Amino acid sequence: MQAVASLRYGVIFKKAFSQPDIFTAFVKDILGIELVIDHVETEKSFSNPIGSVNNYFDLFAEDKVNRIIVDIQHRRYPDHYQRFLHYHCAALLEQAVHAKDYRPALAVYTIVVLTSGDKYARDMVMIDFDPKDRHGVGLGEIPHKIVYICPKYLNDETPETWREWLLAINDSLDEEVDESAYHNGNVQKVLQTIRKDTLTPRDHARMKDEYSEEELRKEEREKALQEGMEKGMEKGEHQKALGIAANLLDLLDDHTIAQKTGLSLEQVAQLREKR
């Protein structure tokens, strides 16, 4: 077994997949597309933000030979379906400035890797922009696609070319892998790249930052959930008190009803007015 850094960390995912040969091999196996590139940008942004929102692409490569842009996003958000749709559209709209008409010069493909899973528990879902007839047959007019993949939900129907990639990503999450279980040379290179004994001080620092940020978000979610539950309980108790008070209006005076139910005199008076 080999100790590795988890690919759930953005800094580690970028370290492995920003290598051009790894990036192109991954894209070929996931999308079936051959890329001709010599570098991959990380934290890519456009100089003129679309819609006054500056997006940052985790991994971004432009193939000028085959006229293709591919970006890979890596992080789960509450709004990740809508968020990365926006990013994808930004990469399309950014081209419109220099185009003669509304046809982008480059096809845009987005791969979103959700290492921590997703509420729908699917290994893959896709947004396909190609127009389709009522039978679901595409016209082949628009190539742009967004593919969301969740290694956690690998199953018997997952495409064979995807399997080792998804297995390795998910296998790394506990920071220990059996490298002999993988036969794809590019997957093996990913595992070699993320070995713990090859990490730099900067890698370790960024991982600690990401871990702390995730723990903070977790605490905030738990706090919001607890507050929501408490408010729900308080609302339920209040409604119960109102019901009891309404039944006592013909039997007791307002002061006594308020004492018995914990309501204010004003609340009891309002109940009496509504009768």
Side-chain angles (χ1 to χ4, degrees), residues 130-182:
D130 193 37
K132 297 174 179 61
D133 63 19
R134 67 172 59 90
H135 304 293
V137 178
L139 303 182
E141 181 68 24
I142 298 178
H144 319 302
K145 292 181 176 65
I146 308 174
V147 178
Y148 300 82
I149 58 177
C150 299
K152 183 177 180 180
Y153 309 119
L154 181 75
N155 59 68
D156 293 340
E157 295 182 355
T158 302
E160 190 60 34
T161 57
W162 297 26
R163 300 189 70 81
E164 281 204 20
W165 292 104
L166 271 61
L167 279 168
I169 292 171
N170 198 55
D171 198 10
S172 77
L173 302 187
D174 65 359
E175 302 187 348
E176 191 175 66
V177 299
D178 179 2
E179 293 174 304
S180 66
Y182 299 94

Side-chain angles (χ1 to χ4, degrees), residues 48-55 86-87 90:
N48 297 307
I50 304 298
S52 300
V53 178
N54 203 357
N55 303 304
H86 180 89
Y87 283 26

Side-chain angles (χ1 to χ4, degrees), residues 7-110:
L7 283 166
R8 76 182 179 91
Y9 292 111
V11 62
I12 300 303
F13 194 92
K14 292 167 192 169
K15 182 183 181 74
F17 286 85
S18 62
Q19 301 173 87
D21 56 338
I22 298 300
F23 188 97
T24 54
F26 183 67
V27 168
K28 181 180 179 181
D29 287 343
I30 299 299
L31 298 177
I33 294 173
E34 296 272 4
L35 290 180
V36 179
I37 60 172
D38 57 14
H39 73 285
V40 177
E41 296 179 74
T42 60
E43 298 297 322
K44 162 78 173 181
S45 65
F46 298 126
S47 56
N48 297 307
I50 304 298
S52 300
V53 178
N54 203 357
N55 303 304
Y56 291 90
F57 298 86
D58 289 343
L59 297 161
F60 187 97
E62 181 176 330
D63 177 351
K64 295 183 179 179
V65 176
N66 296 308
R67 305 176 72 78
I68 294 171
I69 289 174
V70 177
D71 67 275
I72 299 177
Q73 299 294 153
H74 166 268
R75 197 163 187 179
R76 177 182 176 178
Y77 294 92
D79 62 349
H80 50 248
Y81 287 107
Q82 293 81 6
R83 174 185 293 259
F84 296 125
L85 172 61
H86 180 89
Y87 283 26
H88 182 91
C89 291
L92 287 170
L93 294 173
E94 195 272 339
Q95 299 181 61
V97 178
H98 307 290
K100 293 181 179 179
D101 56 22
Y102 287 97
R103 287 173 291 190
L106 305 174
V108 177
Y109 297 89
T110 298

